[in-house]
């Protein structure tokens, strides 16, 4: 039996999945939530030890459920989150600083335009507290235990998968993969290595950072019940979903519709560059070859539906939004911009706030709910238009996943707005599937099953007038 385990270290929980490459059988074995801490406004932390213990629990359960008949372990994780730990004790020196944490916002905003340009040119990223570099700098500048470990040559710093692999291998492997590295803001996407000029700019010595490896590399072994299991297939969560959804050709793309919305657009071996607020990133590196992607992150998407449910009480279940959206012909001019926590790509305005425009006495809840769903589709339309313009690569199809991808109205409307097919896999677990597929690839195990269980939404006419109105509404948020 060719079974492999995928571990998904998400923002609020860790999960393990078991996949059988001979039969296609897939199951989520165990999920364990991880607590988040908010020590100050805008700060977000987690206990890295708890993340590790949750991982072990989920992993061991999956190994037990497969009676230890497992060929390997792939890992995907929330990106940008930073852990600092002690080389000898393996214990964290401070809580993990989560990607959502804004504690370094002022530092990032105060950077000179020249430095911002340098960073953009080398890393493909827009300077923001979201990425790892300023978080690492903060740890070095502010945490005495980190400073002490550094002076004793015991400091190790990495993203989450790096810490977990270090612990799982008993301190044998100090590695990160190219996709996670590409989100640190210390990584040069052309040379595929840390960049000395950027390391110097942030005051981060190379020796405290992990070695960067390809996504199909065996990075170490996990020992359990007297057996060894290779760890192979490390990849950041958004890239993992792209790989898991088989978006492996230039022009293919995936959208994850969850709390936020994440778009990744495969641009092949061309390093894309964007002047319009889209990020350039590494999609994956397998067989020694790097593949690149453009990425658009929208901070709030499904949250609009949550807000209408929990704060306004317009619906009781998220799924009602589909029926209500279909119940009206259009929004009657209502536009919704759910910038609850600022605007991400392509504006990067952390202080923007949301709005609903175009309300009249005829406006009912169905119009507002429909406008919330339309706003996700319009955001994707705007970002893919910019991506195609910037890269010169034409969009060929979209794969969708995430909690809101079950909404048929949204998927149909999305296809109309993008003018390409939107394909939704019946197995919604694309993120963990990416790590599983990379694990199989790295171990040279054939995946005998092609998952063709897919719902296809074909494009009809785009809603150009409504889209223009929505763009105007967004412009009002960023004034
Ligand atoms: P995350 O992984 O970011 O926590 P999920 O992928 O679980 O998010 O998706 C949850 C989000 O999807 C919530 O914000 C919820 O409002 C939205 N959602 C769930 N079901 C639907 C639905 N049928 N229609 C629209 N939105 C939905």
């Amino acid at each position: 039996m060719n079974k492999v385990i995928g571990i998904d270290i998400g923002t609020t929980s860790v999960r393990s999945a078991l996949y059988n490459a001979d039969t296609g059988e897939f199951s989520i074995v165990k999920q364990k939530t991880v607590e988040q801490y908010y020590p100050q406004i805008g700060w977000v932390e987690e206990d890295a030890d708890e993340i590790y213990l949750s991982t072990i629990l989920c992993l061991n359960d999956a190994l037990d459920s497969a009676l230890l008949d497992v060929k390997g372990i792939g890992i995907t994780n929330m990106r940008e989150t930073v852990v600092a730990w002690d080389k000898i004790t393996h214990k964290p020196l401070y809580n993990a600083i989560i990607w959502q944490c804004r504690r370094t916002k002022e530092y990032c905003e105060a950077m000179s335009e020249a430095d911002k340009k340098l960073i953009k040119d080398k890393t493909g990223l827009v300077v923001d507290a979201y990425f790892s570099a300023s978080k690492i700098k903060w740890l070095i500048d502010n945490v005495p235990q980190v400073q002490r470990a550094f002076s004793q040559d015991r400091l190790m710093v990495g993203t989450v998968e790096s810490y977990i692999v270090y612990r799982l291998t008993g301190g044998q492997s100090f590695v990160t993969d190219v996709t996670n590295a590409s989100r640190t803001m210390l990584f040069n996407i052309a040379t595929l290595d840390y960049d000395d000029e950027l390391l110097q700019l942030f005051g981060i010595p190379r020796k405290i950072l992990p070695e960067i490896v390809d996504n199909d590399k065996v990075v170490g072994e996990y020992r359990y019940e007297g057996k060894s299991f290779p760890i192979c297939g490390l990849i950041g969560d958004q890239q993992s979903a792209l790989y898991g959804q088989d978006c492996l050709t230039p022009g293919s793309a995936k959208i994850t519709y969850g709390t936020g919305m994440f778009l990744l657009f495969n641009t092949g071996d061309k390093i894309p560059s964007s002047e319009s607020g889209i990020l350039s990133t590494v999609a994956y590196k397998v067989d020694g070859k790097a593949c690149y992607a453009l990425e658009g992150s929208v901070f709030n998407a499904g949250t609009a539906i949550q807000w209408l449910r929990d704060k306004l009480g317009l619906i009781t279940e998220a799924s009602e939004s589909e029926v209500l959206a279909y119940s009206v012909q259009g929004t009657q001019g209502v536009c919704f911009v759910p910038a609850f926590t600022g605007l991400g790509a392509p504006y990067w305005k952390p202080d923007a706030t949301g709005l609903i425009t175009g309300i009249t006495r005829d406006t009912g809840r169905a119009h507002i709910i429909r406008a919330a769903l339309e706003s996700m589709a319009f955001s994707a339309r705007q970002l893919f238009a910019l991506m195609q313009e910037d890269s010169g690569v034409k969009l060929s199809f979209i794969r969708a996943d995430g909690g809101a991808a079950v909404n048929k109205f949204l998927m149909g409307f999305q296809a109309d707005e993008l003018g390409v097919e939107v394909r939704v896999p019946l197995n919604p677990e694309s993120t963990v599937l990416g790590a599983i597929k990379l694990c199989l690839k790295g171990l040279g195990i054939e995946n005998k099953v092609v998952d063709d269980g897919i719902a296809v939404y074909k494009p009809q006419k785009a809603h150009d007038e409504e889209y223009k109105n929505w763009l105007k509404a967004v412009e009002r948020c960023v004034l």
Side-chain angles (χ1 to χ4, degrees), residues 29 41 48 55 74 81 111-112 134 137 147 186 192 208 215 226 259 263 301 305-306 322 374 377 395 417 447:
V29 181
I41 291 172
T55 304
T81 296
M111 282 187 119
S112 73
S134 63
K137 180 178 165 51
Q147 291 159 352
L186 300 169
L192 298 172
I208 67 168
N215 298 102
T259 306
L263 295 70
I305 299 300
Q306 269 171 342
E322 179 183 308
E374 287 187 358
L395 186 63
E417 293 316 292
N447 186 7

Side-chain angles (χ1 to χ4, degrees), residues 73-340:
I73 303 159
I75 300 176
T76 180
N77 61 291
M78 58 173 152
R79 307 167 302 171
E80 297 102 12
T81 296
V82 169
V83 184
W85 70 94
D86 184 298
K87 188 191 282 183
I88 316 281
T89 66
H90 304 186
K91 287 288 182 187
L93 297 162
Y94 188 82
N95 273 343
I97 303 184
I98 304 302
W99 59 274
Q100 298 151 315
C101 186
R102 310 292 308 164
R103 79 184 61 196
T104 53
K105 176 173 169 269
E106 279 80 22
Y107 168 78
C108 291
E109 282 171 359
M111 282 187 119
S112 73
E113 289 309 313
D115 285 344
K116 286 183 181 168
K117 178 162 183 345
L118 179 81
I119 291 170
K120 175 81 185 22
D121 290 346
K122 290 192 178 217
T123 67
L125 306 176
V126 175
V127 173
D128 193 90
Y130 172 32
F131 304 106
S132 317
S134 63
K135 294 174 159 76
I136 300 175
K137 180 178 165 51
W138 186 91
L139 284 167
I140 295 173
D141 290 349
N142 293 284
V143 181
Q145 303 91 291
V146 169
Q147 291 159 352
R148 201 169 317 121
F150 180 59
S151 66
Q152 295 170 353
D153 216 10
R154 291 166 61 148
L155 177 61
M156 294 187 144
V157 178
T159 37
V160 175
E161 85 300 346
S162 182
Y163 180 59
I164 296 303
V165 169
Y166 192 76
R167 295 283 304 260
L168 290 177
T169 59
Q172 294 299 304
S173 303
F174 184 37
V175 292
T176 184
D177 77 278
V178 277
T179 65
N180 274 293
S182 78
R183 315 294 295 185
T184 58
M185 219 181 232
L186 300 169
F187 177 87
N188 186 316
I189 54 170
T191 63
L192 298 172
D193 189 12
Y194 299 117
D195 187 281
D196 288 322
E197 204 176 351
L198 297 180
L199 291 172
Q200 207 174 12
L201 180 69
F202 287 98
I204 299 169
R206 188 185 271 262
K207 66 174 184 186
I208 67 168
L209 299 173
E211 178 197 345
I212 301 165
V213 298
D214 293 2
N215 298 102
D216 54 355
K217 185 170 159 61
V218 177
V219 296
E221 286 187 335
Y222 174 60
R223 289 196 66 76
Y224 180 66
E225 299 285 355
K227 282 187 83 171
S228 286
F229 303 93
I231 302 171
C232 172
L234 305 182
I235 185 162
D237 54 8
Q238 299 307 323
Q239 284 90 338
S240 191
L242 187 80
Y243 199 88
Q245 293 246 43
D246 297 326
C247 295
L248 307 180
T249 48
S252 58
K254 74 93 198 176
I255 308 180
T256 302
Y257 301 86
T259 306
M261 203 165 88
F262 292 90
L263 295 70
L264 248 76
F265 181 45
N266 187 322
T267 58
D269 56 9
K270 266 190 8 196
I271 302 179
S273 90
S274 165
E275 294 308 320
S276 36
I278 308 283
L279 308 178
S280 308
T281 199
V282 179
Y284 47 83
K285 189 174 174 210
V286 296
D287 295 328
K289 273 179 58 186
C291 179
Y292 293 91
L294 283 168
E295 175 170 331
S297 335
V298 178
F299 298 147
N300 288 283
T303 37
I305 299 300
Q306 269 171 342
W307 182 75
L308 293 172
R309 184 191 61 194
D310 303 339
K311 296 282 186 198
L312 299 197
L314 294 191
I315 44 175
T316 49
E317 298 284 344
S319 55
E320 277 175 57
S321 62
E322 179 183 308
V323 183
L324 283 163
Y326 276 130
S327 75
V328 285
Q329 292 296 316
T331 66
Q332 287 189 346
V334 176
C335 293
F336 193 148
V337 186
F340 299 122

Side-chain angles (χ1 to χ4, degrees), residues 436-450:
I436 285 170
K437 287 180 183 175
L438 283 161
C439 180
L440 291 169
K441 173 118 190 51
L443 296 175
I445 300 170
E446 188 193 350
N447 186 7
K448 295 214 181 85
V449 185
V450 182

Side-chain angles (χ1 to χ4, degrees), residues 406-424:
V406 297
N407 189 310
K408 294 193 176 71
F409 169 81
L410 174 62
M411 294 299 104
F413 199 85
Q414 187 68 86
D416 297 347
E417 293 316 292
L418 295 176
V420 297
E421 274 184 7
V422 172
R423 304 175 190 171
V424 187

